[in-house]
Amino acid sequence: MVFDTSKFSGYAKFAKLNLDQQNAGSRVEVDPEKKNPWDFLLWVTNQPNHVMQWDSPWGKGFPGWHIECTAMSVKNLGNQFDIHTGGKEHVPVHHTNEIAQAYGAFGRQTANCWVHNDWLKGKGGEKMSKSKGNFVTVQDLLAKGINPLALRYLILTSHYRKGLNFDFEVLRAAEKSLSRLYEIVAGLKRNKDDRKDEPDNIWQKNFIAALEDDLNLPEALAVVWEMTKSNLSDKQKLSLLLDWDRILGLKLGEVGSEKWEVSREVGVGSEIKELIGKRELLRKEGKWAEADKVRKQIEEKGYWIEDTGEGSKLKVKRQ
């Protein structure tokens, strides 16, 4: 079953398409049922050996990939929701087709706003992708002892329209900044000075203004750091940080409530020190799997190692 785009007069509007220049069939064979080269499949019936097959009024087959996204979003968010995201490459085909089929089903777009990010790029500015084999997974970060939230922090430092150039050096710098923020939060929770609260609405206003400026999260993050250096009381600072973390998603509320706490005064035996030294050497040599085995040995003895931009910190299991 094919969507006849000639029945939707606004088909080319969203992506400002010049339909005469559309390259039909560049990736797959053109379906003979299509009246226009840019028509798209709603239900696929011409691939009998495909792993997905369901009986339907339109024949045995499976949904077109544009339909899948609309079906999932509508099921979970309703027929109209605020924001639909995706990579910038989705504008001319995938999101254009989602809009077309939504008008066919509901008479309107499902999303009020469409937000398109630029790419995550690796060495030499090349786009990271599965097909190129140049991507990094969260498991890769864990194997190197990196807090996955450091990647989230790094992403927050770049505007979504500009994309991000990734390498482990900049990730380590982000991890260092995140660790510093955690230390600040932990200190605020411990100290809680008794100074009289000052008006803090200017900080809230600045943070919201950054978000309203096309989701300018780098600017919002700058407000976070400026606020931590302000004359607000510890209580006010902590309250703002926890409120803003509903947007940032850095789990600041969990700081200080972990199963593990920083062990600054606990006596560390020679065996643990030896294991720590061995692990550090293996990490410097890039032997990540072996270093991870040593880390597990340290855990079995009641300790935990947190790797930060400033080095490894030993934690001890709470009693």
Side-chain angles (χ1 to χ4, degrees):
M1 183 170 62
V2 175
F3 187 102
D4 182 358
T5 55
S6 66
K7 301 291 181 66
F8 177 43
S9 60
Y11 180 74
K13 183 178 179 180
F14 178 70
K16 301 177 181 179
L17 297 175
N18 183 335
L19 296 180
D20 293 334
Q21 295 179 359
Q22 291 294 92
N23 186 15
S26 61
R27 294 178 60 184
V28 295
E29 185 178 349
V30 176
D31 193 299
E33 295 183 26
K34 292 183 178 182
K35 296 181 180 179
N36 307 287
W38 42 86
D39 290 350
F40 58 95
L41 292 171
L42 298 172
W43 189 259
V44 183
T45 58
N46 61 356
Q47 297 185 34
N49 297 322
H50 198 281
V51 65
M52 296 189 299
Q53 296 290 332
W54 292 275
D55 291 323
S56 80
W58 313 283
K60 191 172 185 177
F62 57 93
W65 72 289
H66 311 302
I67 281 287
E68 292 174 4
C69 291
T70 298
M72 288 187 290
S73 58
V74 166
K75 178 182 178 181
N76 292 288
L77 302 174
N79 294 354
Q80 193 164 22
F81 48 89
D82 286 331
I83 299 174
H84 193 311
T85 63
K88 64 180 183 179
E89 70 274 18
H90 292 146
V91 175
V93 179
H94 184 40
H95 288 169
T96 288
N97 290 347
E98 280 196 69
I99 289 172
Q101 66 194 15
Y103 268 95
F106 312 115
R108 62 174 184 272
Q109 292 191 42
T110 52
N112 294 326
C113 297
W114 296 77
V115 178
H116 299 96
N117 60 277
D118 206 328
W119 295 327
L120 179 64
K121 301 171 186 176
K123 189 175 181 180
E126 185 178 44
K127 177 189 175 184
M128 281 190 172
S129 67
K130 187 175 181 179
S131 61
K132 296 179 183 295
N134 63 346
F135 63 97
V136 177
T137 67
V138 173
Q139 290 302 319
D140 294 330
L141 303 185
L142 291 173
K144 292 180 180 292
I146 298 172
N147 182 349
L149 284 174
L151 177 60
R152 184 178 182 87
Y153 184 95
L154 177 60
I155 292 171
L156 294 175
T157 66
S158 177
H159 193 276
Y160 75 91
R161 288 187 188 272
K162 295 182 179 179
L164 178 66
N165 290 324
F166 174 89
D167 64 46
F168 281 100
E169 184 177 347
V170 295
L171 180 59
R172 289 291 186 185
E175 187 177 38
K176 181 178 180 180
S177 296
L178 179 60
S179 295
R180 175 58 186 147
L181 188 57
Y182 284 164
E183 290 174 0
I184 290 173
V185 172
L188 293 174
K189 288 184 175 181
R190 285 194 305 267
N191 298 333
K192 292 187 178 179
D193 62 54
D194 56 1
R195 284 182 296 158
K196 184 178 180 181
D197 289 349
E198 300 180 12
D200 59 7
N201 57 317
I202 185 63
W203 296 106
Q204 190 73 278
K205 179 181 178 181
N206 290 345
F207 185 83
I208 293 174
L211 297 178
E212 291 179 343
D213 182 18
D214 194 18
L215 293 177
N216 194 336
L217 284 166
E219 180 60 29
L221 206 55
V223 174
V224 168
W225 286 107
E226 290 172 12
M227 187 277 296
T228 63
K229 300 172 186 176
S230 72
N231 292 324
L232 295 180
S233 69
D234 289 351
K235 178 182 177 182
Q236 288 176 295
K237 290 179 181 179
L238 181 60
S239 177
L240 285 170
L241 287 172
L242 296 183
D243 180 46
W244 296 347
D245 196 49
R246 293 185 300 146
I247 302 295
L248 302 175
L250 298 173
K251 296 188 176 181
L252 301 183
E254 297 180 14
V255 173
S257 61
E258 306 97 328
K259 180 180 177 183
W260 308 89
E261 64 183 354
V262 176
S263 174
R264 294 185 174 88
E265 300 177 358
V266 65
V268 180
S270 59
E271 183 182 9
I272 297 298
K273 290 180 179 179
E274 184 179 339
L275 287 172
I276 292 172
K278 181 179 179 181
R279 179 175 178 273
E280 287 299 312
L281 181 60
L282 290 170
R283 282 165 55 81
K284 288 179 181 178
E285 294 174 351
K287 298 178 180 179
W288 305 110
E290 294 178 44
D292 196 50
K293 290 180 181 179
V294 176
R295 177 183 61 78
K296 290 178 181 177
Q297 288 180 264
I298 295 172
E299 287 180 26
E300 290 170 358
K301 297 182 181 297
Y303 295 89
W304 176 266
I305 290 223
E306 178 186 10
D307 297 303
T308 74
E310 300 173 342
S312 298
K313 292 182 178 180
L314 187 66
K315 295 184 176 184
V316 62
K317 190 174 183 180
R318 281 182 172 162
Q319 302 299 319

